[in-house]
Amino acid sequence: MPKFYARRRLSILAALTGVMTSAALFNSPSASAALPTPVSAATARGYLSQLTVATEDRTGYSRDKFPTWITIEGTCNTREWILKRDGENVVTNSACTATSGSWYSPYDGATWASPSDVDIDHLVPLAEAWDSGASKWTTAQRQAFANDVTRPQLLAVTDNVNQSKGDQDPATWVPSRSAYVCTYVRAWVQVKYYYNLSVDSAEKTALTNDLAKC
């Protein structure tokens, strides 16, 4: 998606102009995302062994069946709450909208100075959850899943990276930044285990292989 990269290059150059002391921010992960620490690799392997293996079924899926974003605290909805949690030096207005700050995306190692360049990723995508059991949940249960700030399920990341991930599971997508893959698959298994979601056979194989490297 060239237009995204073009916009960001201009954004970053503008941010760096006259602010040379902050240059290091864009070259190192000093603004690390604050995803709740997932379970250990050993625990994740144990959880994975207990997950039901089943064929996915997307019949009837609609994103509207997972209400987002809800109020989490004060005037902050889920997106705003995660932007504050995962950012550095985040400034918000009275409506809790982020007006400035910096966000490090652990998926690709990029740092952005504008909240418009950042998406809040559902680590286990909503469609993936639907495919693996959430179709049987109530709307209230799906809302809780879509706005879960307690488990390692929501994370601020580069927007077009999130869009390229889409609804893929680890059989076809893991972060390009290899140093984060272990964290990602541990979190994936923890979320699926907590919500009693199934895995398909290719997904389980990929998770098994990735966790073996952790």
Side-chain angles (χ1 to χ4, degrees):
M1 301 181 182
K3 65 180 181 180
F4 287 102
Y5 289 111
R7 167 169 58 83
R8 292 201 184 86
R9 281 195 292 268
L10 291 173
S11 171
I12 293 172
L13 287 172
L16 289 174
T17 301
V19 195
M20 295 306 292
T21 56
S22 66
L25 177 65
F26 294 86
N27 296 313
S28 64
S30 58
S32 297
L35 183 76
T37 302
V39 296
S40 69
T43 298
R45 286 191 285 269
Y47 285 176
L48 180 59
S49 70
Q50 299 176 59
L51 296 182
T52 299
V53 178
T55 302
E56 295 183 348
D57 181 5
R58 191 159 301 183
T59 304
Y61 170 72
S62 168
R63 187 181 176 88
D64 292 341
K65 294 180 179 179
F66 292 81
T68 56
W69 302 110
I70 64 171
T71 300
I72 297 295
E73 182 179 52
T75 60
C76 301
N77 68 23
T78 314
R79 172 181 165 81
E80 293 155 349
W81 196 92
I82 296 294
L83 284 174
K84 289 176 66 178
R85 184 197 72 183
D86 289 2
E88 290 283 336
N89 302 316
V90 178
V91 176
T92 59
N93 61 22
S94 60
C96 199
T97 302
T99 57
S100 64
S102 62
W103 290 268
Y104 174 74
S105 170
Y107 286 178
D108 57 339
T111 299
W112 307 113
S114 171
S116 65
D117 286 330
V118 177
D119 277 356
I120 307 305
D121 179 43
H122 288 92
L123 194 137
V124 175
L126 304 182
E128 168 69 23
W130 178 272
D131 294 350
S132 50
S135 61
K136 300 179 179 66
W137 295 352
T138 65
T139 299
Q141 289 172 315
R142 289 192 287 268
Q143 175 176 289
F145 175 83
N147 299 276
D148 188 350
V149 299
T150 302
R151 264 118 331 241
Q153 163 65 351
L154 295 172
L155 183 63
V157 300
T158 303
D159 59 358
N160 67 301
V161 171
N162 181 49
Q163 291 154 21
S164 69
K165 171 189 171 181
D167 56 15
Q168 298 179 79
D169 69 33
T172 55
W173 194 96
V174 291
S176 61
R177 183 169 161 263
S178 59
Y180 202 71
V181 172
C182 183
T183 300
Y184 184 83
V185 295
R186 285 157 48 211
W188 182 284
V189 172
Q190 179 180 346
V191 171
K192 282 226 159 175
Y193 180 83
Y194 180 83
Y195 283 100
N196 196 29
L197 295 171
S198 64
V199 290
D200 63 40
S201 58
E203 178 187 356
K204 182 171 183 177
T205 296
L207 289 166
T208 299
N209 291 340
D210 287 329
L211 285 170
K213 302 171 188 175
C214 292

